[in-house]
Amino acid sequence: MTVAKPLVVAVSGVKNSGKTTLIEAMLPLLEESGLTVAVVKHDGHSFDADPPGTDTGRFMAAGAAGTAIFDGEKFKIVKKQPVTEDFLITQFPEADLILLEGFKHTGWPKLEVVRKGNSESPVSNPATLLALVTDLPLEIPDVPVLPLDQPHEAARFLLRLVKEDGGHA
């Protein structure tokens, strides 16, 4: 499927709500539907992009401003510089859909995960909600509710959005 630019949707929710699990379950379903999907994850803490002991980790520890590693099928570039999701989104022009994991307090359109025993209600601005993905009996006017235990429903919802939207976020 070719579109003008990727549709960008955040999969949001409080910590441990099931965002990663939902994205992981939806990815093969979206791929089977012919979509090219990229995921951008925000880490609220510092992460180690080049583990200690690896060659690239050793280069970074020795003072390199950045490293790159590649083989014939994939690559990774690590740079020490500030970055935003807007920049990272531009790195995936081939994508039909870019899922942002997290970003609950941003203006990005969202699927918000609300899971029993973890959260009781959405935390995102209701104006940004495309749908709730939950196992609770929640209702917000004009916001569809998708079952948390049926990721294919959320994947179908996103597929419809990409087709309707033509890739314009």
Coordinates of all heavy atoms in Angstrom, one line a residue, residues 27 41 61 77 80 99 103 111 120 135 152 169:
L27 N 1.2 -5.9 15.2 CA 2.2 -5.8 14.1 C 2.0 -6.9 13.0 O 1.9 -6.6 11.8 CB 3.6 -5.7 14.6 CG 4.0 -4.4 15.2 CD1 5.3 -4.5 16.0 CD2 4.0 -3.3 14.1
K41 N 9.5 4.3 20.1 CA 9.2 4.2 21.5 C 10.0 5.3 22.2 O 11.1 5.5 22.0 CB 9.6 2.9 22.0 CG 9.4 2.8 23.5 CD 9.8 1.4 24.1 CE 9.7 1.3 25.6 NZ 8.4 1.7 26.1
A61 N 31.9 4.4 24.7 CA 32.5 4.6 26.0 C 33.9 5.4 25.8 O 34.3 6.1 26.7 CB 32.7 3.3 26.7
I77 N 22.0 3.3 13.8 CA 22.9 4.5 14.1 C 22.6 5.0 15.4 O 21.4 5.2 15.8 CB 22.6 5.5 13.0 CG1 23.0 5.0 11.6 CG2 23.4 6.8 13.3 CD1 22.7 6.0 10.5
K80 N 24.8 10.8 19.9 CA 24.6 11.6 21.1 C 24.2 13.0 20.7 O 25.0 13.9 20.4 CB 25.9 11.7 22.0 CG 26.4 10.4 22.6 CD 27.6 10.6 23.4 CE 28.2 9.3 23.9 NZ 29.5 9.5 24.6
L99 N 3.5 3.9 14.6 CA 3.0 3.8 15.9 C 4.0 4.4 16.9 O 5.2 4.0 16.9 CB 2.7 2.3 16.3 CG 1.6 1.6 15.4 CD1 1.5 0.2 15.8 CD2 0.3 2.3 15.5
F103 N 3.6 8.8 24.7 CA 3.2 10.1 24.2 C 1.7 10.4 24.7 O 1.0 11.1 24.0 CB 3.3 10.1 22.7 CG 4.6 9.9 22.2 CD1 5.1 8.6 21.9 CD2 5.5 10.9 22.0 CE1 6.4 8.4 21.4 CE2 6.8 10.7 21.6 CZ 7.3 9.4 21.3
L111 N -4.7 5.6 20.4 CA -5.4 4.5 21.0 C -4.9 4.5 22.4 O -3.7 4.4 22.6 CB -5.0 3.2 20.3 CG -5.3 2.9 18.8 CD1 -4.9 1.5 18.4 CD2 -6.8 3.1 18.6
E120 N -7.9 3.0 35.8 CA -9.4 3.0 35.9 C -10.0 3.8 34.8 O -11.2 3.6 34.5 CB -9.9 3.4 37.3 CG -9.4 2.5 38.4 CD -9.9 2.9 39.7 OE1 -10.8 3.8 39.8 OE2 -9.4 2.4 40.7
D135 N -10.4 -3.4 29.0 CA -11.2 -4.6 29.5 C -12.1 -4.0 30.6 O -12.6 -4.8 31.4 CB -10.3 -5.7 30.0 CG -9.3 -5.2 31.0 OD1 -9.3 -4.0 31.4 OD2 -8.5 -6.1 31.5
H152 N -6.8 -8.0 17.2 CA -7.2 -7.9 15.8 C -8.2 -6.8 15.6 O -8.3 -6.2 14.5 CB -7.7 -9.3 15.3 CG -8.9 -9.8 15.9 ND1 -8.9 -10.4 17.2 CD2 -10.2 -9.7 15.6 CE1 -10.1 -10.7 17.5 NE2 -10.9 -10.3 16.6
A169 N -1.7 12.3 8.5 CA -2.0 12.5 9.9 C -2.4 13.9 10.3 O -2.2 14.8 9.6 CB -0.7 12.1 10.7

